[in-house]
Amino acid sequence: MTDTVFIEGLRLDALIGVHDRERHATQPVLLDIRMRFDNRIAASSDTLADALDYEAVSLRLADYVAQTDFMLVETLAECCADLILTEFGAKAVRLKLSKPDALANAAAVGVEIERGSFA
Ligand SMILES: Nc1nc2c(c(=O)[nH]1)N=C([C@H](O)[C@@H](O)CO)CN2
């Protein structure tokens, strides 16, 4: 079973970065998330309670990110992935965290991590 639930382009404001200008103002981060989850039960019951509720994940991440102040994108990505695995029962998570406004001459910079197994 390799079902996933995904969230693409989740835009959140975060206090994140190593430079002084980044320590005093938030900036946008974009999250692209794939979560391994068996969707068959929800498909059979047609009941949200049996699904991995991507809206609930998105709202929880927004609340969490709003109270962080990490230096590195690696740290924020790791913490977001751990939150998804521990609070929402995903079997694995692939998470790409981008900073679109970090570098003037780059569309975006960031990290992509995978925790758990999609195999
Ligand atoms: N591997 C990383 N490299 C850099 C990071 C980071 O979080 N991880 N951060 C910065 C700065 O904060 C940059 O995003 C803003 O100029 C530089 N390199």
Side-chain angles (χ1 to χ4, degrees), residues 37-73:
F37 190 83
D38 188 338
N39 295 323
R40 289 174 292 191
I41 297 170
S44 173
S45 69
D46 196 27
T47 304
L48 180 59
D50 291 328
L52 200 172
D53 183 348
Y54 50 70
E55 181 179 8
V57 174
S58 301
L59 292 171
R60 176 72 176 97
L61 287 172
D63 286 344
Y64 172 72
V65 170
Q67 51 88 40
T68 64
D69 61 353
F70 296 123
M71 302 290 274
L72 299 180
V73 293

Side-chain angles (χ1 to χ4, degrees), residues 9-17 26-32 61 65-66 68 73 76 80 96-101 109:
L10 180 65
R11 188 178 181 95
L12 303 175
D13 290 322
L15 191 80
I16 187 163
T26 61
Q27 63 183 286
V29 294
L30 296 173
L31 293 176
D32 294 308
L61 287 172
V65 170
T68 64
V73 293
L76 183 55
C80 289
K96 178 181 177 182
L97 192 152
S98 308
K99 292 170 78 170
D101 298 347
V109 289

Side-chain angles (χ1 to χ4, degrees), residues 1-4 36-40 91 118-119:
M1 184 279 303
T2 57
D3 296 358
T4 64
R36 181 181 173 193
F37 190 83
D38 188 338
N39 295 323
R40 289 174 292 191
K91 304 306 181 194
F118 282 86

